[in-house]
Amino acid sequence: GGMHDPELDRRGRLASAGDDEAMVQMALALASGNGVLPNPEEAFRLFRSAANSGNFIAQGAVATYHANGVIVSKDLAEAYKWCLLAKDNTIISKHRRLAQPRMLQIIAQTQTFVEKSARPVQLEEGRTKARAYRPGPQRNETVVKSIDERSMEATMKRAENGDAGAEFELFELHALAHI
């Protein structure tokens, strides 16, 4: 319909060709439904591909998904691994012009949340995973799961009852959708 955006088509083609900045732009559009139908699962897959190419924005996004258990199972060690990788890559990144302060803030908040809520053994595992990580396509990737309305409603209820984890989860989902 009237939603058609030639720029998104161009980005989609670049993303399919493996351009990580295009993947991130496309993933952000799919996460928020900005100009396209929202598709959180596909957004995550694109973020993950770009993350494995070393794009720190995508790495921060993947950390956020793992910290929240959104789309993938909650895994604080994995979240911490991606936080550390994102932080390292921010410093050496050719994507600095893409480094919206908003995204850097989300990465920092994700890391703070993980450090507060993970057990020391999970943080240690995250550090070990980050050290062992090599960019490129990964074997046995995390399984992507769908977000259903029921789990969203449950999260909102938990947040209303003052559950900090649930509040953070909603903040992150909202943040990712509005970068």
Side-chain angles (χ1 to χ4, degrees):
M3 303 272 280
H4 195 71
D5 178 356
E7 174 55 20
L8 271 175
D9 278 357
R10 193 183 67 80
R11 266 191 223 145
R13 282 196 300 278
L14 284 170
S16 310
D19 176 308
D20 63 316
E21 284 194 28
M23 280 186 213
V24 168
Q25 297 297 341
M26 200 68 198
L28 290 169
L30 289 165
S32 60
N34 188 358
V36 288
L37 283 173
N39 185 338
E41 294 84 3
E42 186 55 27
F44 176 76
R45 285 193 192 91
L46 283 168
F47 276 133
R48 188 169 59 194
S49 294
N52 284 327
S53 304
N55 183 299
F56 79 89
I57 292 179
Q59 291 173 335
V62 170
T64 297
Y65 281 100
H66 281 291
N68 295 327
V70 173
I71 302 287
V72 290
S73 319
K74 186 165 181 153
D75 182 340
L76 293 176
E78 190 68 11
Y80 198 51
K81 170 186 99 173
W82 287 111
C83 283
L84 296 173
L85 291 169
K87 212 165 179 182
D88 279 355
N89 282 328
T90 312
I91 300 159
I92 56 171
S93 182
K94 66 178 192 293
H95 310 282
R96 245 198 237 101
R97 65 191 170 80
L98 245 182
Q100 299 103 323
R102 182 88 197 90
M103 195 65 216
L104 296 177
Q105 190 189 344
I106 290 171
I107 294 170
Q109 278 164 324
T110 301
Q111 185 164 345
T112 304
F113 171 78
V114 172
E115 285 169 348
K116 279 202 185 110
S117 44
R119 299 190 310 279
V121 57
Q122 290 172 304
L123 295 178
E124 192 43 53
E125 188 192 334
R127 275 188 219 99
T128 306
K129 283 176 147 186
R131 279 195 298 270
Y133 175 79
R134 295 291 169 271
Q138 306 296 305
R139 284 195 303 284
N140 51 41
E141 288 277 30
T142 327
V143 179
V144 175
K145 61 181 178 50
S146 298
I147 295 182
D148 61 38
E149 296 303 316
R150 273 202 325 279
S151 71
M152 265 318 281
E153 279 165 24
T155 304
M156 288 172 127
K157 278 220 166 56
R158 277 175 32 230
E160 279 161 24
N161 296 329
D163 176 326
E167 277 172 22
F168 177 77
E169 205 168 303
L170 291 173
F171 154 76
E172 293 285 279
L173 271 176
H174 185 75
L176 277 176
H178 295 91
I179 290 167

